[in-house]
Amino acid sequence: MQKSRWGSCSAKGNLNFNCLLVLMPPEVLDSVVVHELVHRHHMNHSRAFFDEVISIYPEYKKWDKWLKKNGGVFLARH
Ligand SMILES: [Zn+2]
């Protein structure tokens, strides 16, 4: 069970996603998928990482904010 993240990307490039994401708006899942895919290029949260995320998914910030605001309801862990 993933405790702290909605998705993860291992050093080998394997992607894992929290199954609760399927209950959310599809845009949220898209934003998490893009986030993890970009970690294949940048294993950090640098400026370059976010520049690439936003170039792929311009609405990323909107849905990241949504997830931060509403995600706790799904996880009940905050
Ligand atoms: Zn990340």
Side-chain angles (χ1 to χ4, degrees), residues 35-54:
H35 181 117
E36 299 309 327
L37 282 174
V38 174
H39 272 318
R40 288 176 157 181
H41 302 152
H42 304 279
M43 291 300 283
N44 53 48
H45 292 130
S46 62
R47 180 68 199 273
F49 168 84
F50 282 109
D51 283 351
E52 188 169 335
V53 167
I54 287 160

Side-chain angles (χ1 to χ4, degrees), residues 6-60:
W6 294 102
S8 63
C9 181
S10 73
K12 286 179 182 169
N14 294 315
L15 302 178
N16 295 291
F17 299 102
N18 189 310
C19 57
L20 292 172
L21 285 169
V22 301
L23 303 174
M24 300 182 190
E27 292 88 347
V28 175
L29 180 58
D30 288 346
S31 72
V32 173
V33 170
V34 170
H35 181 117
E36 299 309 327
L37 282 174
V38 174
H39 272 318
R40 288 176 157 181
H41 302 152
H42 304 279
M43 291 300 283
N44 53 48
H45 292 130
S46 62
R47 180 68 199 273
F49 168 84
F50 282 109
D51 283 351
E52 188 169 335
V53 167
I54 287 160
S55 75
I56 296 169
Y57 197 67
E59 288 199 315
Y60 175 79

